[in-house]
Amino acid sequence: MAGFSEIIRENPTGCRRETKVVTMETKYAKFYEEGKTAEEAIQRLADIIALLRSEEGCPWDRVQTHKSLRSCLLEEAYEAADAIDKADMDNLEEEMGDVLLQVIFHANLGSEENQFDLRSIANRECEKMLRRHPHVFLNKNSESIDKVLEKWENVKRKERGTATHTDSLRNVPNALPALIRSYKIQKKAAEVGFDWDDVSDAFSKVKEETGELLEIYRGNDEASIMEEVGDLLFAVVNVARFLGVNPEEALNFTSSKFIDRFGFIEDSAKLQGKTLEEMNLEEMDKLWEQAKARNRNL
């Protein structure tokens, strides 16, 4: 019977069998009770994950590993960031729950492998916060934000055993979005003086890299095109850094702007009784210019 399970007990004499039908909701009743405190709520989620990982749990959850969940963790973090960008607090609450789920899931995996658990994760982070805020917890004098950030970076380098400036560049995670990673690498190099004197030099580098890419393209050297495209993007990120612009945010803004303008083209085509496939590039480009003019007038 769906939703029910039989619990069969045999008495010591082996002569009688007692059968009791228990609904699944009764069996898992505790999972339906909301936690009254943060601790209870987190424990509730941890217990649910533990059940899903057990033999009586979910086949998908049972086969997951740290590596298989990597993309899930990144996706949930991006969805939470998207909720922040949209100032959607209801969605942010939901997405932060999904991020918390990932943390607890990885803690469960670590516990199964006797490597770490939720307790050790939280305690390790607490110790890190204590070390990185000596101006608070060691009663140091109040300091400027810049000074606090400088000490924060010094503590991080000490914790990670960073012996050289090159090590600090290598410690920028490969998993970061490429624009953010290159931005951080350039910033760290600039901190020790490896930087242009003026933004005009950064613009000149963009022009230089553009010329090299065109030369490679015209020479039909396909093997070098990816490298030259990378050099050009790196140079553009450098300009953004000089101008105090986050390149990731700038490109996301432009991508959203492109979608809005593309939507204007499609909506305008429908008003003309056409599909985009029925329009030529000249017609679409004309509508694109109208979309740009509309944005300027908003």
Side-chain angles (χ1 to χ4, degrees):
M1 183 181 298
F4 290 81
S5 62
E6 284 191 344
I7 298 178
I8 302 175
R9 297 186 179 88
E10 188 170 340
N11 69 11
T13 65
C15 298
R16 292 191 308 173
R17 287 160 59 91
E18 176 188 354
T19 302
K20 182 179 180 181
V21 177
V22 180
T23 67
M24 297 303 285
E25 286 193 1
T26 300
K27 182 178 181 181
Y28 300 125
K30 69 173 184 176
F31 297 118
Y32 291 89
E33 298 176 5
E34 287 193 359
K36 295 181 176 60
T37 65
E39 292 81 2
E40 288 181 1
I42 291 174
Q43 187 60 54
R44 178 190 182 197
L45 183 53
D47 290 343
I48 289 173
I49 293 300
L51 173 66
L52 294 176
R53 287 281 297 169
S54 71
E55 288 302 317
E56 59 181 304
C58 171
W60 184 88
D61 290 285
R62 281 202 300 270
V63 300
Q64 297 311 304
T65 64
H66 293 299
K67 188 172 183 178
S68 70
L69 290 174
R70 178 184 181 277
S71 61
C72 297
L73 178 59
L74 288 173
E75 181 179 337
E76 300 302 353
Y78 282 129
E79 290 180 356
D82 188 57
I84 292 172
D85 291 340
K86 294 176 179 176
D88 187 340
M89 294 301 104
D90 181 67
N91 184 229
L92 180 58
E93 179 185 41
E94 178 184 356
E95 298 303 339
M96 293 305 292
D98 290 342
V99 172
L100 178 61
L101 169 67
Q102 290 297 310
V103 173
I104 292 178
F105 207 133
H106 283 279
N108 185 282
L109 293 173
S111 179
E112 291 174 356
E113 299 162 359
N114 294 317
Q115 294 175 331
F116 55 80
D117 56 21
L118 190 57
R119 177 196 59 79
S120 67
I121 290 172
N123 280 332
R124 185 167 185 169
E125 190 62 24
C126 289
E127 294 298 330
K128 183 188 295 184
M129 291 299 100
L130 293 174
R131 289 194 305 272
R132 296 185 181 181
H133 292 84
H135 54 289
V136 175
F137 297 106
L138 295 181
N139 296 318
K140 298 288 186 180
N141 294 330
S142 297
E143 297 175 315
S144 67
I145 293 177
D146 288 341
K147 196 67 177 178
V148 168
L149 292 177
E150 179 184 345
K151 286 192 173 182
W152 177 282
E153 289 299 323
N154 289 337
V155 172
K156 282 174 63 176
R157 282 194 287 269
K158 184 176 180 180
E159 289 173 352
R160 295 174 179 177
T162 304
T164 66
H165 293 296
T166 303
D167 286 341
S168 69
L169 302 187
R170 290 184 176 132
N171 285 337
V172 177
N174 290 342
L176 283 174
L179 290 177
I180 295 178
R181 181 169 181 251
S182 59
Y183 182 89
K184 285 180 171 289
I185 288 171
Q186 292 174 8
K187 186 177 179 181
K188 287 181 179 295
E191 289 172 356
V192 295
F194 190 72
D195 203 4
W196 301 111
D197 293 327
D198 188 81
V199 69
S200 60
D201 296 318
F203 275 116
S204 296
K205 188 64 176 176
V206 171
K207 185 177 180 180
E208 175 188 328
E209 296 297 349
T210 301
E212 291 182 5
L213 177 57
L214 280 170
E215 184 179 344
I216 291 294
Y217 170 71
R218 289 166 181 161
N220 201 29
D221 184 0
E222 294 185 5
S224 300
I225 287 179
M226 185 184 76
E227 179 181 352
E228 293 301 331
V229 169
D231 289 347
L232 176 57
L233 290 173
F234 197 82
V236 171
V237 169
N238 214 9
V239 170
R241 182 179 61 83
F242 261 100
L243 299 177
V245 173
N246 183 307
E248 188 79 13
E249 293 178 1
L251 186 55
N252 273 329
F253 177 83
T254 297
S255 296
S256 297
K257 183 170 63 177
F258 178 90
I259 293 171
D260 289 340
R261 292 177 180 176
F262 190 87
F264 177 84
I265 294 174
E266 187 165 25
D267 291 341
S268 299
K270 288 179 181 178
L271 291 175
Q272 298 176 25
K274 295 181 179 181
T275 65
L276 292 180
E277 291 82 1
E278 295 170 335
M279 301 186 79
N280 58 41
L281 180 58
E282 183 179 353
E283 291 175 307
M284 287 191 284
D285 194 51
K286 183 178 179 180
L287 290 173
W288 181 267
E289 292 301 322
Q290 291 178 20
K292 288 173 63 176
R294 184 195 61 163
N295 289 147
R296 284 195 293 267
N297 294 330
L298 291 178

